[in-house]
Amino acid sequence: MFRFGKDALAVGGFEYDAPPINVLFSTNYWDNFYCFQPSVAAAYRSDDASQMLLFQVGNSPYVHYGAGLGFAPGQEWKSGLMSYNLFYSGKVGHLKLLHSVNMFQRPDRKYMNYIAIGHELEYEHWDIYLDLIHHANGLKDWGNNFAVVSCANVYFNKEFNIFVKGAYEQNRSESALPGFGDISTGFYDIFCETAHSHLTYGLGMEYHPKSCPDFRLHAFVANRRTTDYSSMATPVVSNSLRANVGITWSMEVYRMLKERMAKIARE
């Protein structure tokens, strides 16, 4: 398989892989990941499509900061920052895997190393995934900057499910970084601020009425606890509580128009 155009960067993990409309409350790194970039990719798939290995070359998510390099808004991609992504997806029985090794070029033309491994167990009445993510700007960063994300669903029937989700993320780099988003050096982490950690947790529900399975009612409550270690004094802790109720209706517009035209023709 060959593919080119604006595409999601090939990165592992199940939170990242889900359609954005289904990520009802997200992690900090997900909020800061500018994934849709021009790219080219080549992949090999097994005959039953249960295994796939893909290599992709595209713009780096750091191009979002191109305006700070002198590029006009909307033209940041001209900075020429690149990413190189090796991605594997597989399924064995009830176990699904989404793994990747990535290199994201920074404004200083050096690279962030990024590793994301996602695992999901999927059964008829429940599923759970666990994403493990590590990113580093240099050798001293290894083991300091990572994220752990997990979400579990329980399905009472095809109409109703509840879910719980939790994540812990941190950037405890020992390197003397000048700060989050410092364009002058390019030596920074775009996914988690230097000397910060984030603990996200929450629960929610989804309801798909049997009479209209394309309709979804959802509700959740979630909290993000952020700790700032940048001060030499006591760490600063803040909480961001979110609650949401909403509806989604997945409409197949072309099918609806086709059926309507067929009905008019019959009449």
Side-chain angles (χ1 to χ4, degrees), residues 1-3 40-44 53-56:
M1 178 180 70
F2 297 93
R3 188 165 66 194
V40 295
Y44 172 78
L53 184 66
L54 178 146
F55 179 70
Q56 180 192 58

Side-chain angles (χ1 to χ4, degrees), residues 133-153:
I133 300 164
H134 183 274
H135 38 99
N137 281 310
L139 291 177
K140 291 184 178 180
D141 283 341
W142 284 87
N144 292 316
N145 307 339
F146 62 85
V148 181
V149 187
S150 184
C151 181
N153 282 280

Side-chain angles (χ1 to χ4, degrees), residues 243-258:
N244 182 279
V245 177
I247 59 173
T248 307
W249 183 17
S250 301
M251 295 181 290
E252 295 186 46
V253 177
Y254 175 75
R255 187 193 70 184
M256 293 167 62
L257 291 174
K258 187 176 180 180

Side-chain angles (χ1 to χ4, degrees), residues 46 131 175:
S46 60
D131 295 338
S175 302

Side-chain angles (χ1 to χ4, degrees), residues 21-22 24 207-208 213-218 246-250:
I21 199 171
N22 291 337
L24 297 179
Y207 173 66
H208 298 263
D214 292 329
F215 178 90
R216 179 185 69 181
L217 170 67
H218 76 259
I247 59 173
T248 307
W249 183 17
S250 301

